[in-house]
Amino acid sequence: MPASATSSGLARQVLVGPLQGAVHTELAVGSLAPGGWLNRHIHSFEESLYVLDGELLLELDGHGHRLQRGDFTVMPIGVTHALGNARDAPLRWLSVNTPQRLSPDGGRKDTFFETGPFDLAALDARAKRPAFGAPTLRWVGHYDGTPPQAEALRVDDPARGRRPAGMDIALLVYSGISVKMLVDRNFGAELLTMFTVDYEVGGAAQAHDHPFEETYFFLDGEIEAELDGKAYRLRAGDVVFAGVGSVHGFYNTGTGRVRWIETQAPQPPARHAYRWADTWRRFESGG
């Protein structure tokens, strides 16, 4: 994409949006060519990014961050931010935002840019790797990925002196599935969530649906899926959208672990976030 007042070297491909039936979700892959940038702006929707490849220069609320693969961020509504790529290699990220984007053709805008040139060199000079774990750091995080469950659940360090941990950094483990929340209310998001999911061999989530929208961006492995009664095999690079009431289940019947990035919009309710098909099917026969 040619340079403009708002960006240079920016490309973006929407994967899930209104054309796929989404009401609350827009999932996209974005990229910046070497030397590319996206000028300072704010928007009236909430957005989260996960870095897939390259190094992202992020200015967020006046702070300059240098983000790499496995880093993630949330841009709250009304908070100024800018993106840049000062490296020689391309940069790619996965993004999700909600609520649904507004159309300028309808006379309403949702994104508002600063005027004037963007100084990529100045951002590159002051951007630093975030101090992950520091209580003063906001809206930026990193996760190396979940190891196999047997390793993740092993306790081999002293009880006293262990790094403090709470539900805000907990790993959820069930049915051969490991879930690590990246972006949620604890992280500073109000409208969406983003998290990683890992399936051990034999791991399964039986058929269910939700009162919110979900997307799945597959990173590694191969898994069997049941989507509204149809069977699929999904691999790295595949994308799934599950709208409200769309029944879906996933089963790792292969020989290797599976990993994906998952998003939800709106954020799940405190109760009744899952509706398991088998639990309610028993009433079809009166019992």
Side-chain angles (χ1 to χ4, degrees), residues 31-277:
S31 67
L32 280 173
W37 46 268
L38 179 63
N39 210 342
R40 295 179 184 89
H41 62 285
I42 62 173
H43 36 59
S44 63
F45 53 85
E46 191 171 84
E47 183 173 20
S48 183
L49 302 183
Y50 178 92
V51 180
L52 296 171
D53 298 294
E55 182 180 83
L56 169 66
L57 296 179
L58 170 69
E59 182 181 281
L60 181 60
D61 198 28
H63 300 277
H65 301 296
R66 199 176 295 274
L67 303 185
Q68 301 171 357
R69 179 179 175 86
D71 293 345
F72 52 91
T73 180
V74 64
M75 284 82 82
I77 292 173
V79 173
T80 302
H81 56 284
L83 310 180
N85 180 12
R87 299 300 188 190
D88 293 331
L91 162 69
R92 291 194 314 135
W93 63 83
L94 182 71
S95 72
V96 60
N97 56 58
T98 190
Q100 191 172 106
R101 296 288 301 272
L102 300 177
S103 171
D105 297 339
R108 300 175 64 197
K109 295 178 62 177
D110 57 20
T111 304
F112 306 88
F113 285 89
E114 288 189 5
T115 59
F118 181 76
D119 192 340
L120 178 63
L123 177 57
D124 186 32
R126 66 185 181 87
K128 300 177 181 179
R129 284 292 287 161
F132 297 118
T136 55
L137 183 65
R138 291 196 303 168
W139 304 326
V140 177
H142 174 82
Y143 186 56
D144 288 321
T146 305
Q149 281 190 7
E151 179 180 342
L153 298 177
R154 186 177 66 239
V155 178
D156 55 6
D157 54 340
R160 294 186 180 274
R162 184 183 304 157
R163 178 183 174 186
M167 284 303 296
D168 56 332
I169 60 172
L171 179 68
L172 305 179
V173 178
Y174 61 97
S175 303
I177 306 166
S178 302
V179 175
K180 176 62 174 71
M181 299 304 300
L182 305 181
V183 176
D184 58 7
R185 194 174 298 276
N186 285 325
F187 192 72
E190 300 289 342
L191 305 177
L192 60 82
T193 69
M194 176 185 286
F195 50 96
T196 63
V197 177
D198 288 89
Y199 269 57
E200 305 297 324
V201 174
Q206 305 301 323
H208 62 282
D209 70 330
H210 306 284
F212 47 83
E213 297 176 344
E214 288 187 318
T215 70
Y216 306 77
F217 184 88
F218 289 82
L219 298 175
D220 293 298
E222 180 175 306
I223 199 163
E224 180 181 336
E226 177 187 352
L227 307 175
D228 283 334
K230 296 182 179 180
Y232 298 86
R233 293 203 70 82
L234 303 169
R235 304 174 181 84
D238 289 341
V239 178
V240 168
F241 168 63
V244 174
S246 177
V247 178
H248 51 285
F250 298 95
Y251 315 91
N252 187 357
T253 58
T255 59
R257 298 177 77 235
V258 179
R259 172 169 294 168
W260 67 70
I261 297 289
E262 187 169 338
T263 73
Q264 299 168 330
Q267 288 187 359
R271 300 179 62 224
H272 306 303
Y274 288 78
R275 182 166 54 183
W276 299 100

